[in-house]
Amino acid sequence: QVQLVESGGGLVQAGGSLRLSCAASGRTFTNYNMGWFRQAPGKEREFLARINTSGGSTYYAGSVKGRFTISRDNAKTTVYLQMASLTPEDPAVYYCAARNVYAIDKASNVDYWGQGTQVTVSS
């Protein structure tokens, strides 16, 4: 079992930045590929970014590429999502995700989820 706890959400002005953190505990963190998703009201959960076990490989959805950066600190068993140039299209609950061995590319292949953290953008 892996426990994931997100933090860092909140209210930010359009054009601003925010950094989300996801602290992992339980199983060996370095066995897990990590990712971030978000879900706005009435919409499906959307894949945003993923990072491999070593942190050496990342991938982003087109909607956030160039604005968001995923990273991980294996010593701290934490994954981050640095968000910049936030727009009124970005408000949602943001979720951290973990998958054993294989890369994350959609919600259905995630093994573990965090509880989510709300991000609100004011115009």
Side-chain angles (χ1 to χ4, degrees):
Q1 193 78 343
V2 174
Q3 291 78 43
L4 303 173
V5 179
E6 299 98 334
S7 61
L11 174 65
V12 63
Q13 285 190 328
S17 300
L18 208 57
R19 189 176 83 155
L20 306 182
S21 300
C22 172
S25 61
R27 299 285 179 88
T28 304
F29 183 64
T30 50
N31 287 345
Y32 288 84
N33 291 283
M34 302 298 295
W36 285 94
F37 290 73
R38 68 186 177 190
Q39 189 166 21
K43 295 188 177 181
E44 293 188 354
R45 196 164 293 193
E46 176 190 9
F47 166 79
L48 299 177
R50 67 171 181 249
I51 189 166
N52 71 343
T53 55
S54 69
S57 177
T58 58
Y59 179 83
Y60 298 90
S63 58
V64 303
K65 190 174 184 179
R67 299 191 299 126
F68 291 9
T69 303
I70 188 171
S71 61
R72 66 190 290 165
D73 185 333
N74 285 342
K76 295 182 178 180
T77 66
T78 300
V79 63
Y80 304 96
L81 186 69
Q82 179 69 50
M83 305 186 293
S85 302
L86 287 162
T87 78
E89 303 299 314
D90 294 316
V93 178
Y94 283 68
Y95 295 93
C96 177
R99 187 182 188 199
N100 190 20
V101 180
Y102 300 104
I104 295 171
D105 57 4
K106 52 186 176 181
S108 61
N109 62 27
V110 170
D111 293 327
Y112 299 100
W113 292 100
Q115 84 288 353
T117 186
Q118 178 72 50
V119 171
T120 304
V121 179
S122 64
S123 55

